């Protein structure tokens, strides 16, 4: 066999391998992306599975006055409510005053679309926070929590109730609660009911958990429709100043991005 024959055989072998790969992928059954690699959903002791620091850092970057502290005796709440990392809400219930301060950690245009992700996100953050009074008006709300819901919340936080963790990794939604009473840390973590598997749905405790989750979600997420990065009175300025770091914006806003 000469060199030409070897070259032909190698090309034929490469084509054959690619054909197997191509038709194998075509024949693979399609799977719901939400159900890939699900972890078992289970009741576990409430001892702080969630890391709160990322949400509090994002909140402090957007609301410079707030500076949430870990060592506070206040109850701190985090509700993840979507696929985007920034689409969540932080609540603070103080023992010094009635009510709940709720902040929406508003989604900025995704840095994943940018050529220079860090520069782009830093630039957008700089300008979305320059109108602080508008930001506070649209993204910070003071709510009233009923005595019944407050008592229910404390029963879940006291250690009487287990957390619920696990579920499909791509299924968005979770409620996290944190309290430090000067002597001990208390936590509660619960994935969204839409992420439950059939096994946990059969548990006799589940209706109480679902009812509590829905009440807390209703308390935290209402009336934030206007809290968006492009709704603080300087949308064109943000696009003009930060578009140089985002190729999508250069295509979408050619009159603003030079």
């Amino acid at each position: 066999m000469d060199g030409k024959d070897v070259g032909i055989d190698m090309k034929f072998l490469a084509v054959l391998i690619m054909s197997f790969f191509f038709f194998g992928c075509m024949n693979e059954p399609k799977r719901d992306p939400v159900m890939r690699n699900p972890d078992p959903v289970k009741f576990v002791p409430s001892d702080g599975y969630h890391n709160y620091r990322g949400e509090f850092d994002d909140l402090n970057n957007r609301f410079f006055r707030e500076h949430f502290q870990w060592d506070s005796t206040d109850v701190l709440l985090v509700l993840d409510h979507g696929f985007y990392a920034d689409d969540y809400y932080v609540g603070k219930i103080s023992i010094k005053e009635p009510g709940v301060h709720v902040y929406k950690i508003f989604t900025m245009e995704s840095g994943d679309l940018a050529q220079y992700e860090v520069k782009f996100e830093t630039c957008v953050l700089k300008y979305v926070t320059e109108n602080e009074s508008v930001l506070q008006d649209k993204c910070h709300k003071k709510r009233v929590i009923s005595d019944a819901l407050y008592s229910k919340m404390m029963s879940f936080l006291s250690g009487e109730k287990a957390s619920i963790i696990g579920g499909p990794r791509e299924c968005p939604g979770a409620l996290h609660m944190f309290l430090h009473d000067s002597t001990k840390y208390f936590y509660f973590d619960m994935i969204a009911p839409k992420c439950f598997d059939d096994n946990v749905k059969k548990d006799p405790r589940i209706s109480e958990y679902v009812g509590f989750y829905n009440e807390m979600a209703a308390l935290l997420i209402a009336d934030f429709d206007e809290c968006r990065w492009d709704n603080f009175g300087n949308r064109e300025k943000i696009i003009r100043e930060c578009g140089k770091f985002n190729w999508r914006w250069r295509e979408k806003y050619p009159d603003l991005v030079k």
Side-chain angles (χ1 to χ4, degrees), residues 23 75 257:
F23 287 109
V75 176
V257 182

Side-chain angles (χ1 to χ4, degrees), residues 113-168:
L113 305 178
Q115 293 166 294
Y116 309 98
E117 182 173 348
V118 174
K119 290 182 179 180
F120 173 71
E121 292 184 346
T122 301
C123 180
V124 173
L125 184 59
K126 172 184 176 182
Y127 291 108
V128 297
T129 56
E130 70 176 358
N131 294 336
E132 186 175 354
S133 61
V134 178
L135 177 64
Q136 288 278 351
D137 178 63
K138 297 182 184 300
C139 302
H140 167 222
K141 308 292 180 182
K142 181 73 178 295
R143 303 273 165 75
V144 176
I145 182 170
S146 68
D147 292 341
L149 182 55
Y150 183 87
S151 297
K152 193 180 298 185
M153 178 188 71
M154 296 307 294
S155 74
F156 275 85
L157 255 178
S158 66
E160 298 175 15
K161 311 287 186 183
S163 290
I164 302 180
I165 64 170

Side-chain angles (χ1 to χ4, degrees):
M1 181 180 295
D2 58 24
K4 183 182 295 185
D5 292 334
V6 172
I8 293 173
D9 288 343
M10 291 300 293
K11 289 180 181 178
F12 175 76
L13 181 60
V15 171
L16 186 63
I17 292 173
M18 290 301 295
S19 299
F20 278 122
F21 176 79
F22 177 75
F23 287 109
C25 291
M26 286 185 63
N27 292 328
E28 183 180 356
K30 293 182 179 180
R31 294 177 291 179
D32 184 345
V34 172
M35 293 306 294
R36 287 182 303 171
N37 304 316
D39 294 324
V41 179
K42 53 190 176 182
F43 289 87
V44 295
S46 300
D47 55 1
Y49 288 86
H50 182 72
N51 182 355
Y52 296 78
R53 191 168 300 278
E55 284 93 345
F56 295 157
D57 286 346
D58 286 340
L59 184 142
N60 291 334
N61 285 335
R62 288 163 172 76
F63 301 89
F64 296 119
R65 289 184 188 172
E66 313 311 330
H67 298 294
F68 277 34
Q69 300 297 321
W70 276 73
D71 58 355
S72 172
T73 56
D74 303 328
V75 176
L76 299 176
L77 314 166
V78 175
L79 180 72
D80 295 325
H81 195 62
F83 282 101
Y84 298 102
D86 291 339
D87 191 14
Y88 51 82
Y89 305 79
V90 174
K92 180 179 181 180
I93 301 177
S94 175
I95 61 173
K96 300 177 182 178
E97 62 174 316
V100 186
H101 286 277
V102 183
Y103 303 84
K104 186 179 190 302
I105 309 301
F106 53 87
T107 303
M108 296 186 293
E109 189 83 10
S110 175
D112 295 338
L113 305 178
Q115 293 166 294
Y116 309 98
E117 182 173 348
V118 174
K119 290 182 179 180
F120 173 71
E121 292 184 346
T122 301
C123 180
V124 173
L125 184 59
K126 172 184 176 182
Y127 291 108
V128 297
T129 56
E130 70 176 358
N131 294 336
E132 186 175 354
S133 61
V134 178
L135 177 64
Q136 288 278 351
D137 178 63
K138 297 182 184 300
C139 302
H140 167 222
K141 308 292 180 182
K142 181 73 178 295
R143 303 273 165 75
V144 176
I145 182 170
S146 68
D147 292 341
L149 182 55
Y150 183 87
S151 297
K152 193 180 298 185
M153 178 188 71
M154 296 307 294
S155 74
F156 275 85
L157 255 178
S158 66
E160 298 175 15
K161 311 287 186 183
S163 290
I164 302 180
I165 64 170
R169 296 173 189 173
E170 294 86 355
C171 187
L175 172 67
H176 308 285
M177 304 193 302
F178 167 79
L179 169 66
H180 181 254
D181 69 353
S182 76
T183 60
K184 185 178 179 181
Y185 291 93
F186 296 90
Y187 304 91
F188 177 78
D189 302 294
M190 177 181 170
I191 62 173
K194 61 186 173 183
C195 304
F196 290 168
D197 58 22
D198 291 337
N199 184 54
V200 79
K201 288 178 182 177
K202 300 174 184 177
D203 191 286
R205 296 170 287 180
I206 209 63
S207 61
E208 181 184 12
Y209 278 74
V210 172
F212 174 67
Y213 185 99
N214 290 338
E215 285 186 86
M216 295 302 293
L219 175 70
L220 295 173
I221 69 176
D223 194 27
F224 279 111
D225 292 343
E226 294 188 351
C227 180
R228 307 186 311 270
W229 71 268
D230 58 349
N231 198 35
F232 302 140
N234 57 355
R235 173 182 177 275
E236 291 189 0
K237 181 178 181 180
I238 294 173
I239 295 171
R240 185 172 60 250
E241 298 296 329
C242 306
K244 57 190 174 185
F245 304 120
N246 189 322
W247 63 270
R248 289 277 181 92
W249 279 13
R250 285 202 299 269
E251 293 182 353
K252 190 174 182 180
Y253 311 109
D255 295 335
L256 294 175
V257 182
K258 306 300 181 183

